[in-house]
Amino acid sequence: MTFSSLFERSAPLDVSAPVLIGVVAIAALLSVPRLTWQWFGLFATLVHELGHAIAAILSGRVVHGIRIRRNHSGDAMSSGRPGFGAVLSGVFGYPAPAIVGAALLWSVFNGYTAIALFVGGVILILTLLVIRNLFGVLVVLASAGVAALLWFYASAEVRGYALLVLGVALLVGAVRGLVTVIGVHTSRRAQLQTSDAYLLYKSTGVPSPVWLLLFALLIGASLAVAVGSYLAR
């Protein structure tokens, strides 16, 4: 792929229903079994923390660093005036994988695979500027390496299917993350400090279930966009 072809709209990926079912099955294999999730979940955690960081930047806050840990936990540290910016940053963690997944599917089904891959690669490279632990650096480098291989060596069709699988896997991973955080609030309350919904409750006084519902609505809207992109292709 050349840079001059970056903004050219390619033929949208033509995916039949049986093939899509196969793609969903492959994506589920990445996001559901513990064996594969222990690896793919690290990328989902990176997207989660980038969701916090990008929302913080867009609301005028300053991002000081991101950490990704082997146990799938992470931190996105930012500072600024309390209020809207802090709330916005807190909200866009759990929904971030679903939003990115829906965006990838939209790009695949509308012929913008090249620019989606390019933008994702640029974001990953810029992320290296704010990663504050060695393991996080390794996760980002591995992700950027896969993006580079697709960019330089894969055909347009292979790139399309790769982003399709990745997008669906992120959507499945977002649902998994939502189920996990709901489980924290219902049966593993000793882990509440790990929940963005609980941290939002502590900072705003708005009950955690309200934030969980907002996460669910954003993830559900992303799923609707993804399905709509396929049906409108």
Side-chain angles (χ1 to χ4, degrees):
M1 183 188 298
T2 62
F3 188 81
S4 61
S5 65
L6 175 61
F7 298 100
E8 295 177 3
R9 186 171 183 266
S10 59
L13 194 64
D14 186 17
V15 182
S16 65
V19 172
L20 183 62
I21 292 172
V23 167
V24 171
I26 294 172
L29 287 175
L30 286 174
S31 298
V32 177
R34 181 176 299 180
L35 180 63
T36 49
W37 179 250
Q38 66 177 329
W39 300 108
F40 183 74
L42 295 171
F43 180 71
T45 299
L46 173 61
V47 175
H48 175 117
E49 299 305 334
L50 282 173
H52 287 311
I54 292 173
I57 292 171
L58 293 177
S59 60
R61 293 174 66 82
V62 176
V63 174
H64 300 288
I66 294 174
R67 291 191 177 92
I68 306 295
R69 303 183 186 87
R70 182 68 185 85
N71 64 357
H72 293 190
S73 66
D75 301 302
M77 297 159 285
S78 65
S79 63
R81 291 182 178 179
F84 176 75
V87 171
L88 192 70
S89 176
V91 166
F92 280 94
Y94 284 103
I99 293 170
V100 172
L104 289 177
L105 265 64
W106 183 90
S107 68
V108 167
F109 293 131
N110 286 276
Y112 296 106
T113 304
I115 194 168
L117 184 60
F118 177 79
V119 170
V122 169
I123 290 174
L124 287 171
I125 291 171
L126 292 176
T127 302
L128 289 172
L129 299 176
V130 293
I131 285 288
R132 295 293 182 260
N133 66 324
L134 177 59
F135 187 78
V137 170
L138 294 177
V139 172
V140 175
L141 286 176
S143 303
V146 172
L149 288 174
L150 289 171
W151 177 271
F152 289 110
Y153 299 110
S155 65
E157 186 176 26
V158 170
R159 287 194 297 269
Y161 277 107
L163 292 190
L164 182 59
V165 170
L166 178 60
V168 176
L170 284 172
L171 286 163
V172 175
V175 174
R176 176 179 178 141
L178 178 63
V179 171
T180 298
V181 73
I182 290 173
V184 167
H185 284 263
T186 56
S187 60
R188 298 190 300 277
R189 295 184 63 84
Q191 302 174 20
L192 277 177
Q193 291 292 341
T194 66
S195 167
D196 292 344
Y198 177 76
L199 296 177
L200 285 164
Y201 156 66
K202 295 293 287 185
S203 64
T204 66
V206 177
S208 297
V210 174
W211 300 111
L212 292 172
L213 178 60
L214 180 57
F215 298 164
L217 289 174
L218 290 170
I219 291 171
S222 299
L223 289 168
V225 169
V227 173
S229 298
Y230 174 72
L231 295 176
R233 73 197 193 285

